[in-house]
Amino acid sequence: MIKALLGQIKRWYAIPYFLMCLIVTAQSVVYHLNGNTFSWSWLGVSVAIAPLVVFMAIVYSLPWSGIANYIAIPVVAAFVGALLAVIEMRPLPTFYTLFFGLGGVLLYIFWYSDLDRPDNPLLKIGAKLPDFTVLSADGVELHSSAFLGRKTLYIFYRGNWCPVCQAQIQALAEQYQEIQRRGVAVVLISPQTPQRSAELAQRLNVSMQICTDTDSRAAKRLGIYHHHGVPLGILGYGSDTVLPTTLIADENGNIVYADLPDNFRVRPRVQTLISALDGVW
């Protein structure tokens, strides 16, 4: 019950928080433009929150831009802004800086980024990958048995809206020839519509197989279904998604590598996957 409630709260957090940061940033800009007396506290508001607004705007409007890799910039800015604010300690701007700036960043890192992933005995290394069915880009149902006979890298990603997923997939695409040279099939699976998957395929322009998990049936079968995992305000993706998961199965369908992160910002590097494929991980 409590876990479900927290999931709902997380879903409601991102967009309202962004809008409040936008309002506060506008207020700080108006203060400076109106020719008011210089204030360290209001400068702290601008330094702490404006970079965060720009970062979040790019993250959600251009999720494939790679901007998610630069989360350190708004984090550092929030700390610097907080230091500036406390020089003068004017109540309202100091509250804005500490609550929306520093507080918001710390919430994002230590609470919002956590996936609350339960232990998953189905996806242990050495276990047989459970059977599941997905939809190919051509609209044909594919059973997981179709991937037997060769090593297969499975990337379960949340959708085109997720900037960290897009950064992971883009990095994989850039090293795709190295993976292909090892005779490995790469399968990308998400609950988004086939039309959105087609958009991703066109942008990547590589021969990775991009599949749709209709009604999240495969995610539920594998124990990686994420109820209320799509932030409020992300349109066209529903409210539920998949917990980001990376698996490598051998020719017989046995799991030889599994990355099940507790933090959605953390994904395996491509070189780690290549090492696992070479058997030296």
Side-chain angles (χ1 to χ4, degrees):
M1 181 75 173
I2 295 176
K3 190 173 181 180
L5 178 61
L6 289 175
Q8 281 275 34
I9 293 172
K10 280 188 178 182
R11 182 167 189 259
W12 281 77
Y13 170 77
I15 299 302
Y17 171 67
F18 169 73
L19 293 175
M20 287 304 302
C21 286
L22 190 63
I23 292 169
V24 169
T25 300
Q27 189 174 350
S28 71
V29 170
V30 169
Y31 178 89
H32 294 302
L33 292 179
N34 279 348
N36 292 301
T37 305
F38 176 79
S39 167
W40 286 107
S41 292
W42 280 109
L43 178 61
V45 172
S46 299
V47 171
I49 302 177
L52 189 61
V53 169
V54 173
F55 176 83
M56 292 181 70
I58 297 175
V59 157
Y60 285 106
S61 60
L62 300 171
W64 56 86
S65 65
I67 190 68
N69 295 324
Y70 300 96
I71 180 63
I73 293 175
V75 171
V76 171
F79 277 95
V80 172
L83 290 174
L84 293 174
V86 298
I87 291 175
E88 195 177 23
M89 289 293 289
R90 295 178 66 171
L92 184 60
T94 301
F95 168 75
Y96 284 162
T97 303
L98 297 180
F99 186 81
F100 292 108
L102 185 59
V105 163
L106 293 177
L107 271 178
Y108 175 80
I109 293 173
F110 295 108
W111 172 68
Y112 184 74
S113 298
D114 187 76
L115 291 168
D116 302 313
R117 185 192 291 265
D119 184 54
N120 191 333
L122 296 174
L123 302 181
K124 300 291 186 183
I125 293 176
K128 189 84 171 179
L129 183 65
D131 295 336
F132 61 88
T133 302
V134 291
L135 204 63
S136 74
D138 300 323
V140 178
E141 280 205 345
L142 277 179
H143 191 268
S144 54
S145 60
F147 303 112
L148 296 177
R150 63 189 299 194
K151 285 185 180 178
T152 304
L153 169 61
Y154 297 96
I155 305 287
F156 290 88
Y157 67 105
R158 304 197 291 175
N160 290 0
W161 62 268
C162 173
V164 183
C165 297
Q166 295 302 299
Q168 179 190 19
I169 292 170
Q170 184 60 45
L172 195 66
E174 291 170 1
Q175 296 290 322
Y176 181 65
Q177 288 186 345
E178 280 295 310
I179 295 172
Q180 193 177 40
R181 188 167 59 83
R182 290 164 170 78
V184 177
V186 178
V187 184
L188 309 180
I189 302 172
S190 81
Q192 68 185 4
T193 64
Q195 292 79 11
R196 294 191 184 278
S197 295
E199 292 171 8
L200 176 62
Q202 186 175 16
R203 188 163 65 248
L204 294 175
N205 196 29
V206 292
S207 56
M208 292 186 284
Q209 193 152 5
I210 302 179
C211 300
T212 297
D213 182 15
T214 307
D215 298 325
S216 297
R217 287 179 295 181
K220 293 172 183 175
R221 179 83 174 90
L222 299 178
I224 54 176
Y225 176 65
H226 192 185
H227 190 43
H228 296 313
V230 179
L232 184 74
I234 303 297
L235 304 178
Y237 291 91
S239 61
D240 305 326
T241 185
V242 63
L243 291 166
T245 301
T246 303
L247 303 170
I248 298 176
D250 66 14
E251 295 84 346
N252 299 312
N254 298 313
I255 299 171
V256 296
Y257 174 90
D259 184 87
L260 288 71
D262 293 317
N263 187 317
F264 75 77
R265 295 182 293 108
V266 179
R267 306 296 169 88
R269 295 181 179 275
V270 178
Q271 191 55 53
T272 301
L273 299 178
I274 291 175
S275 296
L277 290 169
D278 291 338
V280 296
W281 176 75

